[in-house]
Amino acid sequence: MRWSVGGEVGMTTWSAGRRDRLWLAAPQFQLGYQEASDWGLAASFGAVLLLDDPTGGPAQSTVAASNGWVGAWYQLRPELRLRFGVTAPLSFLGFDALAGQRAAGYSLAAGMRGLWDAWLWAPERAGAQVGLQLAPQQVCPHLWVAAEADAAGTVSVQRFSNRSADGYFQAAAELLLGDQRLRFGLRAQVVMISAEGDGVQTSIAPVVTYGGERVAVRGRWVLNIDRPLGLIGTGLDVSGLILGMEVQI
Amino acid sequence: MNGSRSVFAGTRALRGRCACARVLVPRLVGCALALVASACDTATDLKLCDIRETACQDDIFYAVQRMRGVPWDPWVERPDMRTITAEAYLEELLEAEARRQMNSGQGGKPAFDHYTAALELLGMINPDRAPTAEAETRVDNVAAFYTYADKRVTIIDHGTPLSPEWATQVLAHELVHAAQDRELDLTRFSLAQTHDGDLARQAVVEGEARLYELLVSIDAQQLEWSVQQFDDFHARVLERAKARVFEDESPVFQIYGLLYPLGAHYLTDRYVEGGNVAVRDVWADLPRQVRELMATREWTPLSPGDRTPLPSAPALACGRPQLPEPWALKAEHHMGALNLFAVATRLLPDVESAWRSARAWTGDHLLVYGDEAEHTLLLWHLRFEPPALSAFVDGARQRFGEQAVFVDGDRVSLLLYSAEMLPEISHFDECDTES
């Protein structure tokens, strides 16, 4: 029996409209429990902390909860893990003057991760997810590859929407250089959401990981590439720095 | 332009911010991200396009979202849109009005509307108007609208093609309403306690839409506007709207047009003071009277601290007439400065005199009584800042007669009725003159 605690925090900033700059931190806390070598349980919960800092005027801050997530994993093979989970709709926009700011917080929290695990930040939506994870595989003495993919769906539980259900698919591959403990490399990911218009987001992320006896640390800088959130074309230039840590107890 | 502030001043004041915050590590991390984002700044600006095309509608939708401070939101969709002809819109309005009238009555006969009859007595509605006059006025004035019930934007095809600039503005305006509805549930915002309060809230609704419509439009045209230009634009629109009220035979149908420039001017000031944050703050503390949006100083809205106390009981709720049966109270409203303006355009020789009266409004209370024979009696208590009082009283006495106008200090009461004889009023409730 083994417990783990951890979390990550994502940070970004974005220029909104003509006079405002948004600063966002989105921490996420995780708890893991492993009963046997081939299965375990996990849960996570997060928040968005948004500061809107307009030119000349006073800033305005908002704090809002992310969706809660509980899930489980099962080791299909030593290198291949099946994972599944459900999200509880804890993120609410409300109907007040700050509802738009909360919406901005959720969309930035998802956007700075390249929409990865976007259902965690989908306001007023419950969801379910299933996926596969390929653990880092050593293909050369100092070269590692890893991959993961998930499919998910969410349903709206609160607000009128002309689209009450959403579908998600995400896939990522990582190419890392390093040894058993310290690795760095590049992660490429693509996320598809059943959003209107352009619902496909590709992104890359320089990644650094460190795995000790009990502590694992991971950092990545997600750079969205194309529309709607990316750096090229008519994208919104959203990027995010994500720092995470996990401790085995 | 001397003294004008650029709306865009400080938009890229990133380096100064970073220099000031260099000791704060988290801020530095954010600054690094911001600088990278700035360095990679790309063509996020909207381009003028054909709003009949879906891609163009999407672009304007996201431009509105960005301008209001929300980046691409995968969980929000552009509302449904449709285009109908002006004739079809008129038909829809007339059908809706017929349904409303039938629902208000019994046995297939519409109920007599004493409130409308009161507006006719005051000269706010021409009693000889065509039955379709109100709907026709609305069709003439509307280029597009958003409906709460079905969350849909409707564009009216008036038969002449819209320029891309104007079309972008029109669509952006309605998409702001869609965003307001999503965030605030606009159906709740018509629930102010007074008719005047409703108009003030509507002015904020329309004013925010006008503000962001203009910002999106100048973005699309890659123009630089100053605040002075915004002010001049709103002032020109206000003058046109005032003239329309003055010229219309039923001025009350035109007062909605005043809400756009009044609200837009109010919100532009807020936006310049503090961007989207300051605009959101207006929603958190809505004006309660249109007068807060009007020029008491020359074209300068009142600040929230200057608010006139609500004209609620007992200030102007006194002076209720005690009428014999079967007369009964049918409606009572705080009408506010814009309705006063509509009446004043019937009493005073020019637009500016009428506007001065409206600006001098400090409170009112309209009481409408009716009987079963469809007779209507109204008593409208008004309170003014003194300089505008005498002109209004003179005009009212000329139009309604000496016997209809009562003056008591800074208060004026109008007593008008459609019955052949004034019903016997046993007494009026006492006014609390101290309040």
Side-chain angles (χ1 to χ4, degrees), chain B residues 24-53:
Chain B
L24 301 172
V25 172
R27 191 96 178 196
L28 274 177
V29 172
C31 281
L33 288 172
L35 284 169
V36 169
S38 283
C40 300
D41 208 2
T42 50
T44 53
D45 290 341
L46 173 71
K47 302 286 188 298
L48 290 175
C49 53
D50 184 345
I51 66 164
R52 291 170 300 183
E53 293 174 4

Side-chain angles (χ1 to χ4, degrees), chain A residues 18-19 52-53 159 163 235, chain B residues 7 17 44 182 219 280:
Chain A
R18 289 279 176 185
R19 304 186 66 82
D52 187 336
D53 187 15
R159 189 162 300 236
R163 193 187 69 232
Chain B
V7 172
R17 280 165 193 274
T44 53
R182 199 166 51 243
D219 218 20
R280 282 194 290 268

